[in-house]
Amino acid sequence: MKFTETGLEENQLKFSIVHYAAESLGFVHADQWDYERAMFDYKMVHHEGTFYLRVPVYSVKGDIPTPSTIVQIMSPIVGKHYYPHGVEYEGETFPQAIIDKCESKLSLLAKAVQNEL
């Protein structure tokens, strides 16, 4: 499930700002990057399974993970983890509690990013 109109997609900012804001809210960067793209994950365990809220970014200028690299935040997505295959994003029905948690975290992240600008 993709989250649009979060207020995050409009931002191009330093990687260090996104990194600090995301990790201060419990997102994990975990060395998931390839110089052009990175992902910040927030893990949620629910009685219906394990879900991941993912906030992807891509480099506009510079290489990730250099702190001064300018990144564009892309639309966040949530997926359900299936062992051992990985995370599925399409064709899933997500519990309302998970959707509410995602919306809350994304709102907090948008505010944290704005406060750092």
Side-chain angles (χ1 to χ4, degrees):
M1 174 180 182
K2 187 179 278 193
F3 292 90
T4 57
E5 300 180 30
T6 63
L8 291 167
E9 302 88 348
E10 304 159 5
N11 294 302
Q12 288 187 359
L13 51 148
K14 288 182 181 180
F15 180 75
S16 60
I17 291 173
V18 178
H19 192 271
Y20 175 78
E23 288 198 345
S24 71
L25 292 169
F27 287 83
V28 176
H29 180 233
D31 294 328
Q32 299 174 28
W33 54 272
D34 68 358
Y35 299 107
E36 294 176 350
R37 296 175 301 235
M39 191 79 66
F40 294 92
D41 290 344
Y42 184 79
K43 181 179 179 179
M44 298 167 281
V45 178
H46 186 268
H47 67 86
E48 292 185 33
T50 300
F51 299 86
Y52 286 91
L53 174 59
R54 304 187 113 175
V55 178
V57 300
Y58 72 91
S59 172
V60 174
K61 183 179 179 185
D63 291 332
I64 294 172
T66 305
S68 61
T69 294
I70 303 299
V71 296
Q72 173 77 43
I73 300 175
M74 299 163 57
S75 294
I77 53 178
V78 66
K80 184 175 182 180
H81 183 263
Y82 289 96
Y83 179 81
H85 302 292
V87 180
E88 293 292 331
Y89 304 100
E90 301 296 326
E92 294 292 329
T93 302
F94 298 98
Q96 190 61 46
I98 293 297
I99 294 170
D100 292 345
K101 182 70 170 183
C102 290
E103 289 173 346
S104 173
K105 278 291 180 181
L106 293 172
S107 176
L108 290 171
L109 182 58
K111 288 177 186 171
V113 165
Q114 289 302 318
N115 288 340
E116 292 297 319
L117 294 179

